[in-house]
Amino acid sequence: QVQLVESGGGSVQAGGSLRLSCAASGYTVSNYRMGWFRQAPGKEREGVASIGNDGSTAYADSVKGRFTISKDNAKNTLYLQLNSLKPEDTAMYYCAAGPRARWSLHPPSLDQPAYNYWGQGTQVTVSS
């Protein structure tokens, strides 16, 4: 059974930083696509960052240069470093994992249908 457990959310002031973690069990993060999504109140869930099994990455334009996605294969954990946070970054942040398909390449994707497994989310609140 695949489990994704996020942590690291919290409340910060604008300009601050946070690091989100997503610990995976029953799933090998190094082998497949992983991503971070967020959903603000009254808005649709959107893709924030993704990393493919070859280490290639993709970011939403709104977070480029401020957020960094990475993974620690030894710890089987996905991370999202959030810097220069803005009030508009306030949202529930979700970790997602792609299908365990036998493809040689699992490229990054910011599209929700590209993911099969989801965590419960961690809240990020940025005050001005």
Side-chain angles (χ1 to χ4, degrees):
Q1 182 178 359
V2 176
Q3 274 197 313
L4 304 173
V5 180
E6 302 98 332
S7 62
S11 297
V12 297
Q13 290 192 327
S17 297
L18 286 171
R19 189 175 80 153
L20 307 183
S21 300
C22 172
S25 59
Y27 188 95
T28 304
V29 300
S30 62
N31 290 352
Y32 310 106
R33 167 190 309 127
M34 300 290 294
W36 286 97
F37 289 74
R38 67 185 180 186
Q39 187 168 20
K43 295 188 176 182
E44 293 187 353
R45 189 177 297 188
E46 63 174 354
V48 174
S50 176
I51 185 165
N53 65 332
D54 63 347
S56 58
T57 57
Y59 294 93
D61 288 343
S62 59
V63 306
K64 279 180 182 176
R66 300 188 299 122
F67 292 6
T68 303
I69 189 171
S70 63
K71 54 186 178 180
D72 185 327
N73 294 336
K75 295 183 178 180
N76 210 34
T77 299
L78 179 74
Y79 300 100
L80 185 67
Q81 179 68 40
L82 293 69
N83 295 331
S84 303
L85 281 161
K86 305 175 181 180
E88 50 264 43
D89 294 319
T90 295
M92 185 71 77
Y93 283 71
Y94 298 91
C95 171
R100 292 182 289 186
R102 293 184 178 182
W103 306 325
S104 60
L105 182 63
H106 295 251
S109 174
L110 299 180
D111 296 328
Q112 294 184 60
Y115 296 86
N116 289 34
Y117 308 100
W118 295 83
Q120 293 300 306
T122 185
Q123 178 69 38
V124 172
T125 302
V126 185
S127 58
S128 57

